[in-house]
Amino acid sequence: MPKLIQYLIRYSSYPLIMGLSLFFLFPIATGTLSYWPYVPLIAAVAIGLVALLEQIQPYEQTWLNDHEDTGVDILHASLSIIMIFITAECITLFRQLIHIPSFWPASLPIWLQLLIVGLIIDFGLWLMHYFSHKKRFLWKLHALHHSSERLYWLNGERRHPLSAILLAAPSIICVTLVGAPANLIGTWMGLTAIHLAFQHANLDYSLGAFRHLLGVAEVHRWHHKHGFGRKNFGEFWMIWDHLFGTYYFESKPVKAGQVGLKTALPKTYLKQILWPFARKNQ
């Protein structure tokens, strides 16, 4: 492959795809377009591009191979994405049926309102992610996310459904109660789904100095590396890890054989869902 193409993929794939995604998602944030079907469609196209770029310029060649995980990961991702979309619709319905006092700064520009939504949701995700590595029962649910022996675009949604709910519920409830519009919440959740594909991508890309600000693959791979799980909890931003002393990065690459769990989890979907509740794991 020509070095120019490699360079362009390495340094422009994230800003270009995320930038275009935000551009097309912004009309949903303003209320010009409806959440459905535009957010799912935009997210699907963007995530599909990440998956395609992995095949063109992988970070780790062996991670392109199936590890008896692709089929079950598709099931996990499908359920997680469906839950995201259902959550957005439930928020809309909740706001229509139940009147609650709004403390939301609706007079601010839409882009700033979206940023505030993102900050609240992202901090809630960081906090629950942190507790998921500290509390035994939460960890048993979250362990599924760390059980993969490779990192690739589908890993971002490889989660136990209860873990997904517990991770997202506190911040979603918070932004809903303060009156954030459902279209802003849905827009941010769609953008986060695209970011998570990048965060776990088996793609040779870099954000340079911005990797210290955004939770991209360069820093998140360390979270999945053996012995480093209690570092880099950030989902979208790394600011919370900097503030609370859980940030870690070094230029040494994380390679094949260095991610996953010492305890092997079942390979099938149903057994993975039941694994945290098995008596032997109590």
Side-chain angles (χ1 to χ4, degrees):
M1 184 188 301
K3 288 187 177 181
L4 178 59
I5 301 300
Q6 291 180 335
Y7 182 89
L8 289 174
I9 292 175
R10 182 170 295 122
Y11 293 105
S12 68
S13 56
Y14 183 92
L16 185 61
I17 292 176
M18 288 296 289
L20 286 173
S21 298
L22 182 58
F23 175 82
F24 287 111
L25 286 169
F26 200 72
I28 291 98
T30 62
T32 306
L33 294 177
S34 62
Y35 177 88
W36 184 267
Y38 296 106
V39 169
L41 179 61
I42 293 166
V45 171
I47 293 171
L49 287 173
V50 176
L52 176 62
L53 287 172
E54 280 192 353
Q55 300 297 316
I56 298 172
Q57 187 163 297
Y59 168 83
E60 174 59 62
Q61 187 68 36
T62 61
W63 287 349
L64 291 178
N65 302 326
D66 180 80
H67 284 50
E68 299 182 65
D69 54 1
T70 306
V72 73
D73 283 350
I74 290 173
L75 290 175
H76 284 301
S78 299
L79 181 59
S80 293
I81 291 172
I82 288 170
M83 288 173 62
I84 290 173
F85 298 150
I86 290 175
T87 299
E89 295 299 327
C90 288
I91 292 169
T92 301
L93 183 62
F94 177 82
R95 296 298 301 277
Q96 291 173 348
L97 297 179
I98 301 176
H99 174 74
I100 55 175
S102 177
F103 304 97
W104 190 252
S107 61
L108 294 177
I110 290 296
W111 68 267
L112 187 53
Q113 293 184 52
L114 183 63
L115 182 61
I116 294 171
V117 166
L119 285 168
I120 296 172
I121 291 178
D122 197 62
F123 176 71
L125 289 172
W126 179 90
L127 187 63
M128 292 306 297
H129 193 181
Y130 174 84
F131 283 134
S132 293
H133 282 259
K134 296 289 186 179
K135 304 299 181 181
R136 179 173 171 79
F137 178 69
L138 292 178
W139 166 248
K140 286 192 294 183
L141 294 174
H142 184 60
L144 174 60
H145 180 67
H146 282 265
S147 64
S148 179
E149 296 176 348
R150 60 170 175 154
L151 296 176
Y152 70 120
W153 66 278
L154 271 175
N155 286 147
E157 302 299 340
R158 181 188 176 100
R159 302 179 190 276
H160 195 286
L162 282 180
S163 178
I165 291 170
L166 291 170
L167 281 168
S171 54
I172 297 298
I173 291 171
C174 181
V175 291
T176 301
L177 291 179
V178 297
N183 54 301
L184 289 178
I185 299 172
T187 299
W188 185 261
M189 291 170 68
L191 191 65
T192 299
I194 300 167
H195 171 80
L196 287 175
F198 268 111
Q199 187 180 64
H200 297 82
N202 179 26
L203 173 62
D204 179 13
Y205 78 100
S206 174
L207 280 189
F210 288 100
R211 64 176 170 248
H212 303 298
L213 175 64
L214 295 167
V216 290
E218 288 177 276
V219 293
H220 193 70
R221 290 185 189 113
W222 287 99
H223 178 69
H224 283 265
K225 187 178 185 297
H226 298 149
F228 286 80
R230 296 193 175 187
K231 298 291 183 181
N232 299 349
F233 299 103
E235 297 286 341
F236 199 96
W237 285 302
M238 301 307 297
I239 53 177
W240 319 115
D241 288 291
H242 287 293
L243 286 172
F244 295 100
T246 54
Y247 180 78
Y248 181 87
F249 177 77
E250 61 176 276
S251 57
K252 180 181 178 181
V254 176
K255 305 302 288 182
Q258 296 181 327
V259 300
L261 297 176
K262 292 181 179 179
T263 301
L265 265 66
K267 296 291 186 180
T268 62
Y269 179 81
L270 184 58
K271 288 183 178 180
Q272 288 180 355
I273 297 302
L274 296 176
W275 181 84
F277 309 103
R279 182 170 297 180
K280 65 180 180 179
N281 296 322
Q282 301 300 316

